[in-house]
Amino acid sequence: CITGTFDQFKAMFESAENGHFSRYALYTFDVPRKWQSHRPTKSSRALDESINTASETLYMMWQTLNRREKSLYVDLTDEQWQMIDDTFAEKMQIIDDLDLSKYLHASNNRAAVLALRMASMFAVLRTFEANPERIENAESVTPQNADMVAALWMADTFIKHAIRLYNLLPKATDTDGKGERFKEFLKALPGEFSTADALKIGEGMGIPERTIKYWLSNDGRIKRLERGSYAKS
């Protein structure tokens, strides 16, 4: 795990075009601006103790797995494979529908691998908690659907945050991630307009409704005047 500021992030990832950016599970947030006491409390001591306990458990699990003579396989059900395929095929389509940068497809592709890895880890952890001997002797384990759903939720979050952080990076060749379709849509808008006006214009251009709403909420060239009312800036 690596943490840092936006400036450090931009120094680490010069652009999204060399494959480095897509190899990370990214998460960004704003820290609340309020004082947090450093005074030890009962809950903070309990956290320290729980970390020590978890560390010992993970070490025991590693020892158990290390005693295996053959690899432990993680076998997904057909339904679980379909969950992965459906999730990331949809994300691929959303990236295209929203005219986001083509370089974000790499993040989507690797998020699918990340989800598979997380589901595998959850399955092994769950199996070890229930029956330590099974991960030492069984040929394979299968994740529960809850493991797969949790992994997919996390991967989905990482993709959304990758999209946010992508906009902080310099673009060497992809200077406008939204492309020509957005430029034509923006040009067609009047100076001031409503959501209904924008949807009608977008419909005439064959642009999906969710794409229009995304642009209205996330592009700096469109200013929200009040609920349902906008102006080009």
Side-chain angles (χ1 to χ4, degrees):
C1 295
I2 304 173
T3 63
T5 65
F6 284 131
D7 283 345
Q8 291 168 330
F9 168 79
K10 288 186 284 187
M12 182 173 178
F13 300 97
E14 295 181 358
S15 78
E17 300 173 22
N18 59 9
H20 188 206
F21 176 81
S22 64
R23 285 176 164 83
Y24 290 78
L26 301 170
Y27 188 86
T28 180
F29 61 94
D30 292 323
V31 179
R33 296 294 186 262
K34 63 179 182 180
W35 175 253
Q36 292 184 336
S37 176
H38 295 186
R39 181 184 305 175
T41 64
K42 184 177 180 180
S43 61
S44 67
R45 293 190 182 96
L47 177 62
D48 289 339
E49 292 173 3
S50 68
I51 291 174
N52 290 332
T53 301
S55 298
E56 292 171 1
T57 302
L58 285 173
Y59 181 63
M60 290 173 57
M61 186 178 70
W62 176 83
Q63 288 180 311
T64 303
L65 289 167
N66 201 44
R67 288 196 294 268
R68 292 182 59 91
E69 296 181 0
K70 296 182 179 180
S71 298
L72 174 65
Y73 288 90
V74 178
D75 290 332
L76 274 62
T77 65
D78 287 342
E79 178 187 5
Q80 290 169 346
W81 279 116
Q82 195 62 49
M83 291 167 70
I84 291 178
D85 291 341
D86 291 345
T87 297
F88 296 100
E90 180 186 21
K91 299 302 176 189
M92 178 178 287
Q93 187 61 51
I94 289 173
I95 290 171
D96 284 340
D97 286 347
L98 298 180
D99 277 343
L100 300 175
S101 171
K102 62 184 179 181
Y103 296 106
L104 289 169
H105 283 300
S107 295
N108 183 59
N109 293 339
R110 290 199 166 101
V113 177
L114 182 63
L116 180 59
R117 289 175 174 172
M118 289 189 293
S120 298
M121 289 188 285
F122 297 159
V124 172
L125 286 166
R126 188 188 295 274
T127 302
F128 181 77
E129 289 179 352
N131 184 0
E133 292 183 1
R134 185 154 182 258
I135 68 165
E136 183 174 0
N137 302 314
E139 182 177 342
S140 65
V141 296
T142 298
Q144 293 188 12
N145 281 347
D147 301 326
M148 183 57 62
V149 170
L152 290 173
W153 277 351
M154 292 175 68
D156 176 68
T157 298
F158 295 143
I159 292 174
K160 291 175 180 175
H161 285 248
I163 292 172
R164 292 184 190 176
L165 290 167
Y166 171 82
N167 293 320
L168 296 176
L169 300 177
K171 287 85 171 173
T173 58
D174 191 12
T175 55
D176 188 345
K178 294 182 176 63
E180 291 301 321
R181 185 167 62 158
F182 174 77
K183 293 177 184 177
E184 293 174 4
F185 169 74
L186 188 64
K187 185 178 179 180
L189 291 172
E192 294 188 9
F193 57 93
S194 66
T195 302
D197 295 332
L199 293 176
K200 185 175 181 179
I201 291 171
E203 182 181 2
M205 301 173 68
I207 302 174
E209 179 178 327
R210 69 180 175 188
T211 303
I212 302 298
K213 291 183 176 179
Y214 177 85
W215 287 343
L216 294 179
S217 301
N218 294 278
D219 192 88
R221 286 162 286 187
I222 297 176
K223 181 181 179 181
R224 185 174 182 266
L225 302 177
E226 57 185 38
R227 183 176 178 84
S229 180
Y230 302 87
K232 291 195 294 188
S233 58

